[in-house]
Amino acid sequence: MIGVISTGRYLHTLRDDAALPRLEQQLASVCREPFRRIDRFVQLALLGSGLCARDHTLAPDCAVYLGSGLGPLSENISVQEQLMRDRQLPKPFNFINTLGSSAGFYVARNLGLHGQNFFISRREASFEATLMAAFADFAAGAAQQALVGAVEEVTLPLAQHRQRLDLRDDAVVAEGSLWLLLEAHANAPKGRLELQRYAEFTELQNGLHSTWRIGDRLQCALGMSDKYASRLRQNLADAGPPGFNTEYHNSLEAVWLTDFVTHTSNSNLFVASGDEQRGWTLFHCRT
Amino acid sequence: MAGAYITGMGLACALGNDVASSLSALRQQKIPARPLQLDELSEPLAVSFYRIEDGGELFDASRFERVLAPVVRQAVVETGLSAAEIRALPVFVGSSCFSVGLSESTYADALRRQPDNAVPMPVCNYQRIACDVQRTLDCAGDTYAYNTACTSSANALLQAVRMLELGWYPHALVVGAELANRTTLTGFAGLQLIARTMRPFDAQRSGLVLGEGIGAVLLSRQAISSHNLRIAGGANNCDTYSVTTANPDGDSVASVLNQALHHTRLQPQQIRGIKAHGTATPMGDTAEALGLLHVLSELPPVTALKPYLGHTLGACGVIELVLYAAALRAGFQPAAAGFESPDPALGLQPLTTEAEARPGYYLLNQFGFGGSNTVLVLEKTTA
């Protein structure tokens, strides 16, 4: 069982091509030094992790797990335009910022961390993959404390962004940086988080039913078919419809979990995902 | 026993298109770097490059899947997994480039056809390589894509081992993949890290030569009798000295080495050999040498494989593991080609001739941009 110490959330919804909000002022409140030559993806990572770590003492070996479906998209666009349209060598810091690990580096530097530092992607389930990696490292004793986050960037113009993601022309999208500070013990101020893996769907059903209480909330992650999602909801008293925001974000599980931890107490959230080949994963968050 | 056994390996690199031919070329100390010129830039760029000889066009968009498929089949076929086991196989991928080559080709086509409507980065998908693997093998298990610069596939290995130890999976396929693309070649040229030849730990070292390759490792919780290599564990840490340069005092390298030894409950004197990261950059090799000497006062044989392979970036963790493991299995630690002049500032000289590989523990170092340091511990058992 893993304790949830705090959350850090930045989430911004876009419906049209209005300018993206500037982040410098908020960054100044969470950054120990003014970082130069960073892109928006790094800014988002610094902001969310900084909000999460604010008011908490982090161990120097606190691990960082950064998940993202799209990664540092705006910097990749800049580099590709420099190279393919302008036929120039990419500028060094543009190129460096295209790497997934750059954002994690700045998070670690800002917070004085030297522990494990990973960038992990699984398209629309990147936060799930990142949490699974963190849980594996907690179990192996390779981490005692971890910042686990999902960062997704939106680029303008929105029409191009939607085209890349194969979204409808009117799809509402969100950029975000959503983080949990976790520790390897159950007595944490914000709640606790459990991860269960099941080989069979019936085991997942049984696991869910054995802990379900009236008023608990169930979210079925993207990637779980409607057939299985509806079967999970059957016989669950007061499961209710999905209640979180639904604008497009590649790491929706991070939106759900951080929202739930931030805004509830004495409540349970179950996030289920999987299929017959992958097996089944159930996150149980108790605030 | 903790850790995970290597039960299958596949490889395509500049040395050869499978493990056996690559090992044979390694033993002959072949250095297959070739000149490469990029004419599309306003000022043409000429570099050396280690390419896979597959007969295809270097930047052909379909090349990735064509090279990848036989490599992952090599890794899986020798193990005799059932169809159901393959179907459930999780795929861990480490790469620096992922889909960028495909994105470049697609964007270049659009710029030629309709420049005003061309959308940059039309493909941005870290999942793509794992999907190609799944299509090739008809598997559908969990996927994990690691993008931590030059430690990407080493970190994929490290975490696959931990998830196997937890019992989440009985087997895992770990793939390191890096194929030529314009972004990487020009990006490194812009950083002025490129040299004509690679001489790790040599006094005359002046930088790295890029290479391409795909490696695949099948890991299993249980040993298979004919195999005698086990990843015992390892460690990762983050050096925040600089986003592009390891701290030259070697402290963070020493720290991750100590963590790897601690995690596997080993003493420094139990280490029989080291596969260095050895990028041949002045500061990178300095940090690695000093870090090693902080931890291992008497160094076992040290080798570096990049003179044979080029720097395959995010793939080097798996590719160099495959080649080093194949050499250990064959009974030798390979020499580091190209070394001529010791650097008195380093206190480290790599092997210039083969050394015997006895059963015991071996370290594999990988370090990358973003301060990512990873050390893996490999055991050659007596089985």
Side-chain angles (χ1 to χ4, degrees):
Chain A
M1 189 158 324
I2 300 300
V4 182
I5 307 299
S6 63
T7 60
R9 286 172 55 82
Y10 167 83
L11 194 65
H12 180 77
T13 300
L14 288 98
R15 290 181 170 75
D16 54 37
D17 276 326
L20 291 163
R22 295 189 66 86
L23 303 176
E24 284 78 0
Q25 197 169 351
Q26 291 181 76
L27 279 170
S29 70
V30 296
C31 287
R32 297 178 183 183
E33 58 181 297
F35 293 107
R36 294 179 177 181
R37 297 167 173 163
I38 60 173
D39 63 344
R40 189 163 186 90
F41 189 79
V42 175
Q43 286 184 332
L44 289 167
L46 283 168
L47 180 56
S49 61
L51 291 169
C52 191
R54 192 166 57 183
D55 306 326
H56 297 280
T57 303
L58 302 190
D61 64 352
C62 176
V64 176
Y65 301 83
L66 198 165
S68 181
L70 297 175
L73 187 53
S74 62
E75 205 70 287
N76 272 291
I77 291 169
S78 296
V79 164
Q80 201 159 87
E81 287 185 320
Q82 287 166 31
L83 179 60
M84 310 292 290
R85 190 187 284 271
D86 305 335
R87 303 173 67 196
Q88 301 293 321
L89 292 180
K91 293 184 175 67
F93 275 89
N94 289 137
F95 174 63
I96 293 297
N97 287 338
T98 63
L99 302 172
S101 52
S102 291
F105 168 88
Y106 285 104
V107 168
R109 179 152 171 153
N110 184 46
L111 300 173
L113 309 179
H114 305 286
Q116 299 191 123
N117 201 309
F118 297 124
F119 176 101
I120 304 171
S121 182
R122 191 190 282 166
R123 197 62 177 185
E124 290 166 334
S126 295
F127 193 64
E128 175 188 298
T130 307
L131 273 177
M132 289 172 73
F135 269 76
D137 287 348
F138 277 122
Q144 299 297 317
Q145 185 184 57
L147 274 167
V148 183
V151 178
E152 300 293 354
E153 188 184 0
V154 171
T155 58
L156 301 177
L158 273 189
Q160 290 189 357
H161 190 74
R162 292 182 180 117
Q163 186 177 331
R164 284 186 197 97
L165 295 175
D166 200 20
L167 298 176
R168 290 191 329 266
D169 290 348
D170 60 348
V172 179
V173 296
E175 69 169 6
S177 181
L178 306 142
W179 292 75
L180 297 171
L181 176 60
L182 304 177
E183 286 185 1
H185 61 77
N187 299 319
K190 286 290 188 180
R192 53 195 189 184
L193 192 58
E194 289 179 73
L195 164 61
Q196 298 292 335
R197 296 273 297 167
Y198 302 104
E200 303 292 337
F201 180 73
T202 51
E203 297 171 11
L204 170 68
Q205 281 183 307
N206 292 339
L208 186 55
H209 289 174
S210 66
T211 46
W212 185 263
R213 301 288 179 271
I214 290 174
D216 290 351
R217 177 176 267 182
L218 170 67
Q219 293 284 140
C220 294
L222 289 172
M224 177 182 280
S225 68
D226 290 344
K227 177 180 83 171
Y228 286 112
S230 59
R231 282 173 63 185
L232 274 187
R233 288 180 175 281
Q234 285 173 2
N235 304 322
L236 288 179
D238 196 27
F244 296 103
N245 48 15
T246 54
E247 60 265 21
Y248 188 83
H249 187 279
N250 254 269
S251 297
L252 271 177
E253 288 162 311
V255 178
W256 298 338
L257 275 165
T258 56
D259 190 5
F260 184 78
V261 173
T262 304
H263 295 118
T264 71
S265 59
N266 299 313
S267 301
N268 290 296
L269 168 67
F270 295 86
V271 179
S273 65
D275 58 36
E276 289 143 336
Q277 276 74 43
R278 289 167 51 207
W280 305 89
T281 302
L282 183 65
F283 286 104
H284 177 193
C285 183
R286 182 176 304 171
T287 56
Chain B
M1 184 174 277
Y5 292 88
I6 296 176
T7 51
M9 299 195 294
L11 181 63
C13 62
L15 288 173
N17 290 337
D18 55 42
V19 178
S21 63
S22 299
L23 186 64
S24 173
L26 170 74
R27 207 145 200 187
Q28 295 166 44
Q29 299 204 10
K30 286 189 175 171
I31 301 181
R34 300 279 182 272
L36 170 66
Q37 182 151 325
L38 290 181
D39 294 320
E40 304 139 10
L41 300 170
S42 55
E43 290 182 36
L45 175 67
V47 295
S48 292
F49 187 70
Y50 291 76
R51 72 160 290 177
I52 297 168
E53 294 301 337
D54 62 329
E57 290 291 323
L58 194 63
F59 298 125
D60 176 7
S62 67
R63 189 164 172 253
F64 215 118
E65 195 165 356
R66 209 170 54 239
V67 177
L68 176 73
V71 173
V72 296
R73 286 197 194 103
Q74 286 170 40
V76 170
V77 73
E78 64 179 286
T79 315
L81 296 184
S82 68
E85 286 172 317
I86 292 174
R87 187 85 182 137
L89 199 60
V91 177
F92 294 72
V93 176
S95 176
S96 301
C97 65
F98 285 98
S99 61
V100 74
L102 177 61
S103 189
E104 287 171 359
S105 300
T106 308
Y107 185 44
D109 282 349
L111 282 172
R112 271 193 296 274
R113 286 185 285 106
Q114 286 187 303
D116 293 339
N117 296 325
V119 176
M121 281 301 288
V123 182
C124 44
N125 190 349
Y126 293 98
Q127 192 73 0
R128 188 177 180 89
I129 298 173
C131 290
D132 287 346
V133 172
Q134 290 184 320
R135 197 162 42 246
T136 299
L137 297 178
D138 191 23
C139 57
D142 281 332
T143 63
Y144 300 83
Y146 289 80
N147 183 228
T148 54
C150 306
T151 60
S152 299
S153 59
N155 288 332
L157 284 162
L158 182 64
Q159 294 219 293
V161 168
R162 289 176 182 162
M163 292 185 198
L164 289 172
E165 286 175 341
L166 266 180
W168 286 356
Y169 315 111
H171 309 279
L173 183 67
V174 186
V175 176
E178 203 75 35
L179 289 197
N181 63 82
R182 299 169 181 91
T183 302
T184 303
L185 285 162
T186 57
F188 272 84
L191 289 168
Q192 300 186 321
L193 291 173
I194 301 284
R196 285 278 173 193
T197 57
M198 281 188 91
R199 299 174 184 277
F201 304 108
D202 191 287
Q204 304 303 316
R205 69 189 183 279
S206 58
L208 56 86
V209 179
L210 292 170
E212 61 175 5
I214 297 179
V217 175
L218 186 70
L219 297 175
S220 301
R221 258 199 331 254
Q222 304 293 327
I224 294 175
S225 59
S226 62
H227 294 86
N228 59 354
L229 293 163
R230 178 177 73 96
I231 299 179
N236 166 271
N237 74 5
C238 184
D239 175 357
T240 57
Y241 173 80
S242 159
V243 72
T244 54
T245 311
N247 189 336
D249 69 9
D251 274 359
S252 68
V253 172
S255 174
V256 75
L257 285 162
N258 277 323
Q259 289 166 29
L261 292 172
H262 175 76
H263 175 75
T264 50
R265 297 177 183 166
L266 293 174
Q267 298 299 315
Q269 58 270 25
Q270 291 178 267
I271 303 303
R272 292 204 181 278
I274 297 166
K275 191 285 300 172
H277 188 54
T279 56
T281 55
M283 287 179 77
D285 282 6
T286 301
E288 182 166 18
L290 295 182
L292 284 167
L293 288 165
H294 281 320
V295 176
L296 300 116
S297 52
E298 287 186 32
L299 283 179
V302 176
T303 193
L305 299 178
K306 290 183 176 64
Y308 303 105
L309 299 163
H311 192 348
T312 55
L313 304 176
C316 77
V318 166
I319 288 174
E320 295 185 14
L321 169 72
V322 168
L323 201 55
Y324 193 59
L328 297 184
R329 190 177 278 170
F332 72 98
Q333 299 183 59
F339 181 81
E340 291 175 354
S341 317
D343 183 343
L346 301 188
L348 182 160
Q349 294 183 35
L351 285 171
T352 52
T353 56
E354 286 181 5
E356 183 187 7
R358 290 184 289 157
Y361 293 94
Y362 295 81
L363 300 181
L364 295 93
N365 292 349
Q366 290 77 212
F367 310 118
F369 287 164
S372 186
N373 299 326
T374 300
V375 173
L376 299 171
V377 181
L378 182 65
E379 183 188 13
K380 177 179 176 175
T381 66
T382 52

